Amino acid sequence: MTDIDFYIEGIQQLPAIVEKGKNAQEKFAETFMEFVRLGHLYESAIEVVKTYLNILDSEFNIKFQRNPIHNIDSRLKSAESIINKLRKKGLEVSPDSARKNLLDIAGIRVTCCYISDIYVLAEMLARRDDFIVIKQKDYIKNPKQSGYRSYHLIINVPVHLASKKVYAPVEIQIRTIAMDFWASLEHQLKYKPSAMITPEISEELKECAERIAETDMQMQKIYSQINGID
């Protein structure tokens, strides 16, 4: 069992580490602190993006008397999840390797009221001069085969630590409430332990996604009509 395995197993493995001697203890402590620092960096990057999104939401409310953002959720991959993904890719297992090779350690999901809000937020995020866009993917104009719709961005975010500025990538998914509703239920069905997603069920899910997309477009049209937007 490696020192990384001890980290995954946690406190239960500490007696075994102690028995292996001082070098093993020091290695475990060093690895543990590296993952703690890694988690802090990515959690901080998430907070930078969330703060900016909240500022945009508040400014939009002042200007237009409504909030484009319905909800913001975030997630941070656990050390175990990071390690498992590195192993699956056949990469070196270390915090440094994770930083170099993984772009989805930190994630934010933003749900909006209307499709137009998605593109406004995506543009504002991409326009900020200290954010560096790594990837963009529009699954709204070009849905996945399953029917999945969302706007994806991966942005390198500056984190100002006590001694230096460090960049960390954050994966951002922006979607409407309706898109999020479909994606959440589809995820639950797909990853249920006893799930049997037959071609017929896949087609039904895709049809549901199409109907939800039509509703989104209709709500956007109604909103535009009410507000005199062409």
Side-chain angles (χ1 to χ4, degrees), residues 188-198 201:
Q188 287 182 19
L189 292 171
K190 188 175 180 180
Y191 291 97
K192 190 174 181 179
S194 60
M196 281 290 292
I197 306 299
T198 64
I201 292 176

Side-chain angles (χ1 to χ4, degrees), residues 5-225:
D5 291 320
F6 286 135
Y7 175 75
I8 295 173
E9 295 297 330
I11 299 300
Q12 292 180 350
Q13 294 295 333
L14 287 178
I17 294 171
V18 172
E19 289 180 7
K20 291 181 74 172
K22 186 177 180 180
N23 288 339
Q25 295 170 39
E26 290 177 349
K27 181 65 176 177
F28 174 82
E30 180 184 346
T31 302
F32 179 85
M33 286 308 301
E34 285 177 356
F35 272 103
V36 169
R37 286 191 288 269
L38 184 75
H40 173 259
L41 172 63
Y42 281 88
E43 185 66 46
S44 299
I46 286 173
E47 290 304 314
V48 170
V49 177
K50 286 172 67 177
T51 298
Y52 184 54
L53 287 169
N54 284 321
I55 290 170
L56 292 177
D57 193 48
S58 297
E59 182 183 8
F60 201 95
N61 190 10
I62 291 170
K63 288 183 176 179
F64 306 108
Q65 289 74 57
R66 77 174 187 86
N67 296 89
I69 297 175
H70 174 71
N71 191 51
I72 301 174
D73 288 315
S74 61
R75 61 113 184 99
L76 185 67
K77 278 189 181 295
S78 66
E80 182 175 1
S81 180
I82 292 170
I83 291 164
N84 287 338
K85 189 159 188 177
L86 289 171
R87 283 177 172 162
K88 188 175 180 180
K89 288 176 173 284
L91 299 169
E92 177 191 352
V93 177
S94 70
D96 186 55
S97 177
R99 285 202 61 199
K100 290 178 180 177
N101 297 294
L102 303 183
L103 296 175
D104 62 346
I105 294 175
I108 293 176
R109 184 172 67 247
V110 184
T111 51
C112 298
C113 298
Y114 301 101
I115 295 173
S116 58
D117 296 332
I118 294 173
Y119 290 100
V120 169
L121 290 176
E123 181 183 354
M124 296 304 295
L125 286 165
R127 189 190 300 175
R128 181 164 159 165
D129 57 10
D130 60 345
F131 284 2
I132 301 171
V133 178
I134 300 174
K135 288 184 179 181
Q136 291 186 75
K137 191 71 176 179
D138 189 344
Y139 291 114
I140 299 171
K141 293 179 180 177
N142 302 289
K144 289 187 177 182
Q145 183 64 31
S146 64
Y148 174 85
R149 287 167 169 80
S150 186
Y151 196 100
H152 289 199
L153 284 161
I154 299 178
I155 294 177
N156 230 6
V157 177
V159 178
H160 293 267
L161 302 174
S163 60
K164 58 184 177 179
K165 179 174 71 174
V166 183
Y167 278 84
V170 177
E171 182 183 47
I172 306 168
Q173 300 176 358
I174 315 174
R175 57 182 71 153
T176 63
I177 300 168
M179 293 173 193
D180 189 58
F181 161 75
W182 183 90
S184 297
L185 292 182
E186 191 262 354
H187 182 81
Q188 287 182 19
L189 292 171
K190 188 175 180 180
Y191 291 97
K192 190 174 181 179
S194 60
M196 281 290 292
I197 306 299
T198 64
E200 291 76 18
I201 292 176
S202 294
E203 188 60 32
E204 284 190 60
L205 286 169
K206 188 174 181 179
E207 289 174 4
C208 286
E210 295 293 338
R211 288 197 294 271
I212 288 172
E214 289 173 5
T215 301
D216 252 339
M217 292 299 294
Q218 189 173 7
M219 293 300 294
Q220 178 72 62
K221 182 180 178 181
I222 292 170
Y223 168 75
S224 298
Q225 288 174 339

